[in-house]
Amino acid sequence: MKRIILTMNEDKKYNVIKAVTEKRKDKKRACVELDLSMRQVNRLIQKYQEGGKAVFSHGNRGKKQMHAVPEDVKKQIIGLYQQFNIKPNVKHFTEILKEDYAICYTDTTIRNILYLANIISPKTQRKTRKKINARIKAQSMKAKTKLDNPLLPRAEDQLASPEKIHPSRSRKKYQGELIQMDASSYIWFGSDVTHLHLAIDDASGDIVGGYFDTQETLNGYYHVLHQILRNRGIPLAFLTDKRTVFDYQSKAKKVVEEDTFTQFGFACHQLGIDIRTSSIPQAKGRVERLNGTVQSRLPVDLELAGIQSIEEANHFLTKWIQSFNRKFGNKTKESIYEKAPTKSEMNLLLARVANRKIDSGHHIRYQNNYYLPTEGSEDQYFTRGSKALVIEAFNGEIYVNIAEKIYTTRRLKEHDDYSTEFDPIPEQKKERRQYIPPQSHPWKLESFKRYLRSIGKTLEEYEAERAA
């Protein structure tokens, strides 16, 4: 006797109608369960009494569709397509079949025939390519398994490839042991995309720094590092994205001030912080998940607060982070943060440096401004071509390192404040005494050169490429 196989809905109808026929269920109850009228239920009862269980199976099951493409035509289509050395896209191939071979089917039908034969056209989307390649792999694995052992699957066939292995790991034990950093581009407020630089403590889950900027910049990461030093202390290590500004070098502009990895790296080197980079998102899963969580929450809170500018957003972010950490952080209290440097030391450590030379006017040009080295209240005039290391401190003040000596600077104004010929002499205000860094300033030229050599770079390379 032939076994009758029903779908889930057909099997439900069969069991309900059978129960009604056997007086185990009421007809009205059957109407409710099957969502059918009384007339339809009566028809099903009559069919069941005449043909039994088989009447619930669809009449066309197992039969070939009336409008199906014949198998010989399918083989012809596949053979014709494989004859092309340069494969046409499906739409073009459909036109060729119609014009040259009188095979008239829609491009959708032709595409399905080719895809079922695991044939990819030049215009196949990436999602479909992956699907077909996965099917080819599964078919080959199935055939191989069947050949080796038709009964038992092999454990070796189910092992993940080494490049795709990203096992989960435990959190670090101590706060400050590892800080994960990243920047997330998103429409956080208003209508423009901005970049939120974030740092999360791997052990506690606390956000330890956050800063908005127009792009993913050294300035943004310096502000995050400043927050960490000011509020927590010196951590042991940073884990960052290798594809971001930390390890990016532009071939057209390979100068010191453009090399963020060198700038940030040397600042961390002075503080004793290790930098680790990875191009694999799973390696820094904490900050990747944090980005997703913050993207779902922070924009709503910014909109409720009426934030429309980066300055307002950064001011709002401080209290928002505190609230976030109370809800989701504080997973451990033990800490290995070291004591942070003083405010003046941080200002000099988180600096941006650039190579320059004294021009014919005894000035140094930096960021489209001209600066004259000073010592105390005296201007210092160095000969043209003298090499200098410009140091832009975290608070924006400009210093220069010439022959291993640190000088303050005075910016050359575009116009005088007053005319000695036509204006009265204004009352002289007492100028604030400018802080003069000690000669143990961290951005010493020789120590900077040693650091460049340690990471496989030289100052001369930068100067030669900049001159070119």
Side-chain angles (χ1 to χ4, degrees):
M1 184 177 178
K2 186 178 179 181
R3 186 183 177 188
I4 300 170
I5 301 174
L6 302 179
T7 64
M8 188 167 59
N9 288 335
E10 292 171 346
D11 190 59
K12 182 181 178 181
K13 283 184 181 180
Y14 163 69
N15 289 322
V16 172
I17 297 302
K18 182 181 179 183
V20 172
T21 306
E22 295 174 353
K23 306 298 183 181
R24 292 185 289 106
K25 194 182 288 287
D26 184 68
K27 283 186 180 182
K28 290 183 179 179
R29 177 64 180 266
C31 292
V32 174
E33 288 186 17
L34 300 177
D35 194 21
L36 298 175
S37 66
M38 183 65 73
R39 179 179 292 182
Q40 289 172 310
V41 170
N42 287 333
R43 285 175 179 169
L44 289 174
I45 293 171
Q46 184 180 353
K47 285 184 178 181
Y48 174 69
Q49 290 172 342
E50 294 174 354
K53 185 178 181 180
V55 300
F56 292 93
S57 179
H58 197 281
N60 289 334
R61 183 165 298 157
K63 296 181 181 179
K64 194 171 184 178
Q65 295 180 12
M66 185 181 298
H67 301 291
V69 181
E71 289 299 323
D72 58 334
V73 177
K74 287 183 180 180
K75 291 180 180 178
Q76 184 184 4
I77 290 171
I78 293 170
L80 289 171
Y81 190 81
Q82 290 177 333
Q83 289 177 6
F84 287 94
N85 293 322
I86 301 176
K87 306 297 183 186
N89 62 60
V90 175
K91 189 77 174 176
H92 188 195
F93 182 55
T94 304
E95 295 170 0
I96 294 172
L97 290 175
K98 184 177 180 180
E99 294 172 2
D100 298 347
Y101 300 96
I103 300 176
C104 302
Y105 292 102
T106 64
D107 58 305
T108 303
T109 302
I110 301 299
R111 185 178 291 107
N112 289 335
I113 292 171
L114 294 176
Y115 285 177
L116 286 173
N118 295 331
I119 297 174
I120 300 173
S121 79
K123 293 292 185 180
T124 301
Q125 295 183 354
R126 182 167 57 181
K127 182 179 178 181
T128 307
R129 286 178 183 272
K130 290 175 68 176
K131 184 178 179 181
I132 292 175
N133 290 331
R135 188 169 66 205
I136 293 170
K137 185 177 179 181
Q139 289 173 353
S140 63
M141 289 292 293
K142 186 176 180 181
K144 183 180 178 182
T145 304
K146 190 174 181 180
L147 185 65
D148 293 343
N149 192 334
L151 298 177
L152 298 175
R154 299 194 313 167
E156 293 81 358
D157 296 335
Q158 301 179 38
L159 290 173
S161 55
E163 65 273 8
K164 293 184 178 180
I165 296 174
H166 308 296
S168 302
R169 63 168 180 81
S170 304
R171 291 180 180 272
K172 296 295 184 182
K173 182 178 180 180
Y174 301 105
Q175 291 187 30
E177 193 173 349
L178 180 67
I179 305 294
Q180 297 187 19
M181 299 178 72
D182 197 11
S184 175
S185 59
Y186 195 68
I187 303 177
W188 296 100
F189 52 85
S191 57
D192 297 329
V193 173
T194 49
H195 290 67
L196 174 58
H197 302 69
L198 285 173
I200 183 172
D201 188 287
D202 188 85
S204 66
D206 289 346
I207 299 177
V208 291
Y211 188 80
F212 282 104
D213 209 341
T214 53
Q215 295 292 330
E216 187 173 2
T217 61
L218 174 64
N219 178 60
Y221 284 111
Y222 264 173
H223 273 84
V224 170
L225 178 54
H226 184 264
Q227 292 173 27
I228 296 171
L229 296 174
R230 184 186 61 201
N231 300 327
R232 306 273 176 156
I234 302 175
L236 175 66
F238 284 130
L239 178 60
T240 68
D241 193 338
K242 196 171 185 178
R243 294 168 297 179
T244 65
V245 293
F246 283 103
D247 207 21
Y248 173 76
Q249 293 180 17
S250 171
K251 293 181 180 179
K253 291 184 176 181
K254 194 178 177 184
V255 293
V256 172
E257 57 267 36
E258 302 290 339
D259 191 346
T260 304
F261 182 72
T262 299
Q263 301 272 335
F264 191 88
F266 187 59
C268 290
H269 173 74
Q270 297 292 332
L271 290 163
I273 303 173
D274 184 29
I275 296 184
R276 306 164 191 171
T277 60
S278 174
S279 59
I280 302 172
Q282 292 87 342
K284 51 184 186 61
R286 307 257 186 259
V287 72
E288 294 289 351
R289 285 192 293 274
L290 174 66
N291 285 334
T293 304
V294 173
Q295 283 182 9
S296 67
R297 289 174 168 267
L298 181 56
V300 178
D301 294 338
L302 289 170
E303 183 178 350
L304 291 174
I307 303 299
Q308 292 296 324
S309 68
I310 286 182
E311 291 75 17
E312 293 173 344
N314 281 322
H315 180 73
F316 176 86
L317 192 59
T318 304
K319 289 186 177 179
W320 188 90
I321 288 175
Q322 294 174 359
S323 175
F324 183 93
N325 289 342
R326 283 194 295 269
K327 291 179 181 178
F328 303 105
N330 300 312
K331 291 180 172 59
T332 182
K333 298 293 184 183
E334 297 181 278
S335 173
I336 59 163
Y337 283 103
E338 293 184 352
K339 185 179 178 181
T342 64
K343 187 177 179 180
S344 59
E345 288 173 338
M346 279 193 285
N347 181 49
L348 297 176
L349 283 165
L350 306 184
R352 186 191 300 265
V353 299
N355 295 315
R356 291 293 186 271
K357 290 183 179 181
I358 302 294
D359 64 12
S360 57
H362 308 288
H363 285 79
I364 294 170
R365 185 176 180 178
Y366 179 74
Q367 300 289 349
N368 293 325
N369 289 310
Y370 290 89
Y371 296 90
L372 182 68
T374 61
E375 188 173 19
S377 58
E378 298 292 328
D379 294 338
Q380 303 295 313
Y381 301 101
F382 291 93
T383 58
R384 180 183 179 182
S386 297
K387 293 182 179 180
L389 187 70
V390 179
I391 305 162
E392 182 184 353
F394 184 71
N395 63 0
E397 292 180 347
I398 305 296
Y399 303 94
V400 291
N401 182 331
I402 300 175
E404 292 301 295
K405 186 174 181 179
I406 306 297
Y407 295 91
T408 55
T409 61
R410 178 172 61 83
R411 185 168 67 88
L412 179 65
K413 297 178 181 178
E414 190 173 350
H415 296 282
D416 289 336
D417 293 332
Y418 68 96
S419 170
T420 56
E421 300 291 335
F422 301 99
D423 296 331
I425 299 175
E427 182 181 351
Q428 296 292 331
K429 293 183 180 180
K430 188 177 180 180
E431 292 187 2
R432 178 180 65 87
R433 185 178 178 183
Q434 193 173 5
Y435 171 75
I436 301 175
Q439 295 309 308
S440 59
H441 186 282
W443 291 94
K444 300 286 281 187
L445 191 57
E446 287 304 317
S447 61
F448 186 51
K449 285 182 179 180
R450 284 196 300 272
Y451 175 73
L452 287 175
R453 287 193 295 270
S454 71
I455 60 174
K457 303 175 183 179
T458 65
L459 198 63
E460 289 72 19
E461 286 179 0
Y462 287 115
E463 292 175 346
E465 292 184 15
R466 188 170 184 276

